[in-house]
């Protein structure tokens, strides 16, 4: 549902909860969409995750609004000071961060290095992002590495599981 359809998003989240869903993620494409956080959270009992792309200020506003988890790709929200700001806000409120990496938006340098969005490239990207958060003394991390190719996705998760102990959020998709 478009973020502007607040009532539709609430109904959809309620329907998901009734169907047995244990967590709901909502895209926050702009500042107006931040209002979805309180609107949805007040109507469901399950955790709500804010899906943030590009604008770190959206993550900060969602944290202030009471979101349960933030999904970011640290590589697309700007310089390290912006990542630090999100980490600081999440740490203060004990909000986990899900790092989202996918084959459709892999860093150009990793595509050049590996020649394609391979499992190794995806894991290297994820571990770089994990390192950014860890350097800011943050470890309440969930890792999501997605690809539309099932074998690549499975191989990437197996590699990630060997390299870290963070929870892994499984998914098969190209970019979102």
């Amino acid at each position: 549902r478009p973020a502007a359809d607040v009532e539709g998003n609430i109904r959809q989240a309620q329907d998901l909860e009734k169907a047995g869903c244990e967590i709901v993620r909502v895209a926050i494409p702009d500042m107006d969409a931040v209002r979805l956080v309180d609107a949805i959270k007040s109507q469901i009992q399950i955790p709500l995750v804010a899906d943030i792309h590009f604008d770190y200020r959206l993550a900060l506003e969602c944290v202030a609004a009471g979101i349960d988890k933030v999904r970011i790709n640290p590589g697309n929200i700007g310089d390290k000071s912006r990542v630090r700001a999100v980490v600081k806000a999440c740490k203060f409120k004990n909000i986990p961060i899900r790092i989202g990496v996918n084959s459709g938006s892999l860093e150009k340098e990793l595509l050049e290095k590996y020649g394609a969005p391979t499992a190794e490239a995806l894991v290297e990207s994820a571990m770089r992002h994990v390192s950014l958060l860890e350097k800011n003394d943050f470890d309440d991390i969930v890792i999501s590495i997605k690809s539309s190719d099932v074998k690549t996705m499975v191989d990437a998760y197996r590699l990630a599981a060997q390299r870290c102990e963070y929870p892994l959020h499984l998914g098969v998709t190209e970019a979102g």
Side-chain angles (χ1 to χ4, degrees):
R1 298 216 174 264
D5 182 2
V6 175
E7 291 305 316
N9 276 281
I10 292 170
R11 278 192 310 279
Q12 188 174 43
Q14 289 172 324
D15 289 346
L16 288 166
E17 184 175 36
K18 286 176 191 166
C21 182
E22 296 178 357
I23 190 168
V24 172
R25 185 175 79 190
V26 62
I28 306 294
D30 54 41
M31 284 297 177
D32 288 339
V34 173
R35 66 188 170 153
L36 289 171
V37 174
D38 184 57
I40 294 172
K41 279 187 58 67
S42 68
Q43 300 298 315
I44 62 173
Q45 302 301 309
I46 57 178
L48 184 64
V49 179
D51 192 359
I52 307 297
H53 293 272
F54 307 110
D55 190 344
Y56 78 105
R57 295 169 298 180
L58 297 172
L60 297 177
E61 290 300 319
C62 286
V63 168
I67 200 72
D68 297 302
K69 187 189 321 184
V70 172
R71 180 267 182 219
I72 61 171
N73 176 337
N76 76 16
I77 64 169
D79 65 36
K80 292 177 184 176
S81 67
R82 293 175 177 185
V83 174
R84 273 193 302 274
V86 173
V87 167
K88 182 179 178 183
C90 288
K91 188 171 183 173
F92 181 76
K93 296 252 185 152
N94 294 313
I95 295 172
I97 295 175
R98 179 169 74 97
I99 293 172
V101 173
N102 59 63
S103 57
S105 62
L106 195 62
E107 294 95 324
K108 189 175 184 177
E109 68 185 72
L110 291 176
L111 284 173
E112 290 173 7
K113 178 180 177 180
Y114 291 95
T118 64
E120 294 81 5
L122 291 165
V123 172
E124 184 172 333
S125 176
M127 292 302 110
R128 284 181 183 181
H129 299 321
V130 165
S131 176
L132 274 174
L133 273 57
E134 289 175 337
K135 286 177 184 172
N136 288 282
D137 196 32
F138 190 86
D139 64 1
D140 196 356
I141 301 168
V142 176
I143 300 171
S144 174
I145 305 171
K146 295 183 180 179
S147 173
S148 58
D149 180 74
V150 175
K151 182 176 180 344
T152 299
M153 187 269 306
V154 170
D155 290 346
Y157 279 108
R158 286 183 174 148
L159 286 171
Q162 293 171 0
R163 295 199 46 197
C164 70
E165 302 258 337
Y166 292 114
L168 302 174
H169 170 108
L170 301 180
V172 179
T173 188
E174 184 70 20

